[in-house]
Each structure stands twice: as C-alpha cells, then as structure tokens.
Amino acid sequence: MNGLTSWFLSIGGWVMPVLFCGIMLYSGVKKVDVMSSFLEGAWEGLQTAAKLIPTLVALLCAIGMLRSSGALELITKLLEPAARLLGIPTETLPLALMRPISGSGSLAMLREVLQAYGPDSLPGRAASVMYCCGDTAFYIIPVYCSTIKITDYRYALPAALAGCFVGTLCSVWTVKLFF
C-alpha cells in the first residue's frame, strides 16, 4: 500500500468515535437534551417511512410487471439502433433502462452484464460506471417531494430522466475514452 492509502485507513477507524464525541461535547456546551432530540428525529423518520410504504409497494409491483411481462426486452430491442448510433453497448441497455426505476433491479442487471461479458470488457466497464453515475429517479422524486409536501413535480421527472440519459452517455463515452 502507498502512504496515502495507509494514512486514510488509519484515520478511518477514528472518524466515527471522534464525530460522536464531538457531537456529545457540542450538545453539552449548548445544553441540548440529546436523547429527546434523537427520539424526536427517530419518530419523524418513522412517520416519513410509513408515508413512503404505498409508493414503494407500487414501484416494486411495477418493476415486477415490467420484467416478467417481457416489456423490458421489447423496449431494449426497439432502442438498439439508437444505442448503436450513440455508441452505447447494447448489452448495457437493460441496465440503462432499469437504473432510473430500481436500484436493486439495476444491480441485478449489472451482475448479469458482468457475469456474461466480464468486468474488463467494454460492456462490463461501461455497466459498472453507468450503475454508479445515476440514481433511481422514479423512487427519489416521489420520496423527496412527498417528504417536503411538493405535489406538483411535473418538471422534476423530465429533468431527472434527462440527467439519467446524460449520465448514461457520459459513462459510456468516458469508459471508451480511458479504456
């Protein structure tokens, strides 16, 4: 290991204890009741989680239907010519389509690409970077907007999907540039 890596590893074990002690000291100086603040925050988090359950159930049902109906494969076949034109490996299309919808679904797609083509192949590298470059827009938008009580988020979805598309393109082009 180089010196910087070993330095980070030695410091890493101290970060959480120092942070915890710092919070306790700060709360003591400010005379904050840490336990009641913690319990209040935990209660708010539990209420937020309970509000999200219907959204999560609907999203999981939609993902299951998308995969089991064959719609994902059909959409992939329809998008293959455009993907070739843009330089996107067609093997990564299911991952690119699933990434804005489901983190666990896209992780399964990444695993399939890595098993089929290997981690050092163009599809494997592109899929690895693609998996890390985006987020689950269909999950994030309802969660964040419902948490802060935004009901009209019609512009958020196109913006998030545009970001996912640009992230997909940039991930593939970056892999092609450096590998």
Side-chain angles (χ1 to χ4, degrees), residues 121-177:
S121 65
L122 175 64
R125 288 179 173 161
S128 297
V129 176
M130 191 183 300
Y131 177 77
C132 297
C133 78
D135 211 335
T136 54
F138 286 99
Y139 169 75
I140 296 292
I141 292 171
V143 168
Y144 289 169
C145 289
S146 68
T147 301
I148 57 175
K149 296 177 179 53
I150 294 176
T151 56
D152 184 17
Y153 49 87
R154 63 177 168 219
Y155 300 115
L157 185 60
L161 292 178
C164 290
F165 178 70
V166 170
T168 298
L169 287 178
C170 288
S171 65
V172 171
W173 294 346
T174 302
V175 166
K176 285 185 174 184
L177 179 68

Side-chain angles (χ1 to χ4, degrees), residues 7-153:
W7 183 80
F8 276 119
L9 288 174
S10 64
I11 296 298
W14 288 96
V15 171
M16 289 307 291
V18 168
L19 185 63
F20 180 76
C21 290
I23 290 171
M24 289 300 172
L25 285 173
Y26 181 77
S27 64
V29 169
K30 293 290 186 176
K31 298 192 183 338
V32 175
D33 183 7
V34 177
M35 188 62 174
S36 67
S37 296
F38 173 78
L39 291 175
E40 182 181 325
W43 178 249
E44 289 176 12
L46 187 61
Q47 288 175 326
T48 301
K51 290 178 189 173
L52 296 177
I53 289 174
T55 304
L56 293 175
V57 169
L59 189 59
L60 290 173
C61 288
I63 291 166
M65 289 188 301
L66 183 68
R67 287 198 80 182
S68 63
S69 70
L72 186 62
E73 289 79 19
L74 178 65
I75 295 169
T76 300
K77 291 290 182 198
L78 292 173
L79 291 177
E80 279 182 4
R84 279 193 212 97
L85 185 67
L86 294 170
I88 300 171
T90 57
E91 301 87 358
T92 63
L93 274 179
L95 170 63
L97 292 171
M98 187 60 73
R99 187 68 189 132
I101 300 170
S102 167
S104 58
S106 58
L107 182 59
M109 300 288 180
L110 172 64
R111 193 185 92 234
E112 289 173 10
V113 170
L114 293 177
Q115 284 179 339
Y117 302 100
D120 291 330
S121 65
L122 175 64
R125 288 179 173 161
S128 297
V129 176
M130 191 183 300
Y131 177 77
C132 297
C133 78
D135 211 335
T136 54
F138 286 99
Y139 169 75
I140 296 292
I141 292 171
V143 168
Y144 289 169
C145 289
S146 68
T147 301
I148 57 175
K149 296 177 179 53
I150 294 176
T151 56
D152 184 17
Y153 49 87

